[in-house]
Amino acid sequence: SARRGPPRFALFWLEKRGFSPEIVEKRPDLADEGYMIDFYGSGFAVAEKMGIIEHLRQKHYHVPKMEFLDEQGSVRHSFNIERFRKLLGFRHFNFMRGDLEAVLYEHTHRAVPIRFGTVITGLDFQPDQVEVSFSDGTRSAYGLVVGADGLRSGVRDLVWGPVESFERYLGYYAASGVIDNFLGSTDVFLARQEPGKQAAVYSIRGGRLATFF
């Protein structure tokens, strides 16, 4: 039992090997898109084995270059992303984290049950299984429970105690969101970096800008 999107890679293979996995997802649906990711390397190889590369290719954003701005908003440096992709034999995609999640969902939800709008509220460890209580009032038994629910993991809290015992502040926070594309361009990727601060905006489908701070 897991609680976030990317572990569906593992759930796919577990189901193929004869296990009966189940996902417990706090969100009511897959509406949020997160931020843009570079998809290549081992993840690309696994996606090939899963037979989902062409579906992911359809999600790819053509981003010709990334431009770094100075304090006045003028371009100071640029990075040619297509040259980087060529070095990788074009075994590289740019897409939103939610795009990856949507493709994985499409290829797993018929075989792997997903409990949307639900969280794990209790764990009762038995000699040969774990009895799991859910926020919808139900209970089920599993051979293994995997808490993949992020920094403030509710599963970890249940097993080892509150997050304050494990959290270590590394000096920064990150935030992302999607807004209307007030810049107008459909292939923009702009970034501003200085000590202690970073901001980026990039155009995505639907006349929108994704932001990362």
Side-chain angles (χ1 to χ4, degrees):
S1 179
R3 293 172 60 183
R4 295 299 295 172
R8 290 196 183 95
F9 270 125
L11 274 293
F12 176 93
W13 292 112
L14 285 171
E15 192 274 331
K16 295 296 182 185
R17 296 295 189 271
F19 292 90
S20 301
E22 183 175 336
I23 295 176
V24 182
E25 174 57 61
K26 181 177 181 179
R27 293 171 298 166
D29 52 43
L30 300 180
D32 66 324
E33 293 180 289
Y35 44 83
M36 189 171 287
I37 60 176
D38 292 285
F39 189 78
Y40 63 106
S42 58
F44 197 101
V46 171
E48 283 183 316
K49 293 179 180 179
M50 294 173 66
I52 62 174
I53 282 296
E54 290 308 312
H55 295 88
L56 293 176
R57 193 185 310 279
Q58 295 171 15
K59 301 293 185 180
H60 171 67
Y61 280 97
H62 173 67
V63 183
K65 60 183 176 180
M66 183 176 183
E67 296 182 328
F68 297 89
L69 310 181
D70 61 19
E71 293 180 352
Q72 285 71 45
S74 299
V75 177
R76 186 168 183 178
H77 305 288
S78 65
F79 174 71
N80 190 312
I81 296 177
E82 281 303 294
R83 288 183 181 177
F84 174 69
R85 297 187 70 232
K86 185 177 180 180
L87 289 173
L88 296 172
F90 295 100
R91 293 170 59 82
H92 170 280
F93 297 136
N94 293 306
F95 43 58
M96 302 293 282
R97 189 204 68 179
D99 292 330
L100 172 61
E101 197 169 54
V103 171
L104 292 175
Y105 173 77
E106 180 61 29
H107 285 79
T108 57
H109 78 276
R110 294 178 182 84
V112 179
I114 302 176
R115 294 174 177 246
F116 282 107
T118 309
V119 297
I120 294 175
T121 57
L123 297 170
D124 183 11
F125 297 96
Q126 306 294 329
D128 58 351
Q129 64 183 20
V130 183
E131 293 279 348
V132 181
S133 300
F134 299 102
S135 56
D136 60 6
T138 62
R139 289 174 62 90
S140 296
Y142 302 91
L144 175 68
V145 175
V146 178
D149 46 341
L151 174 65
R152 301 187 180 281
S153 168
V155 173
R156 183 178 55 205
D157 286 357
L158 291 170
V159 178
W160 289 298
V163 67
E164 289 76 19
S165 302
F166 307 97
E167 186 179 44
R168 183 164 65 91
Y169 180 54
L170 297 177
Y172 63 93
Y173 294 97
S176 61
V178 176
I179 60 177
D180 291 336
N181 189 347
F182 62 89
L183 296 176
S185 176
T186 58
D187 61 358
V188 65
F189 197 125
L190 305 176
R192 166 66 183 161
Q193 294 174 314
E194 60 182 69
K197 297 183 179 67
Q198 175 181 339
V201 296
Y202 41 95
S203 54
I204 61 174
R205 299 177 186 93
R208 297 171 298 162
L209 282 178
T211 66
F212 181 81
F213 301 94

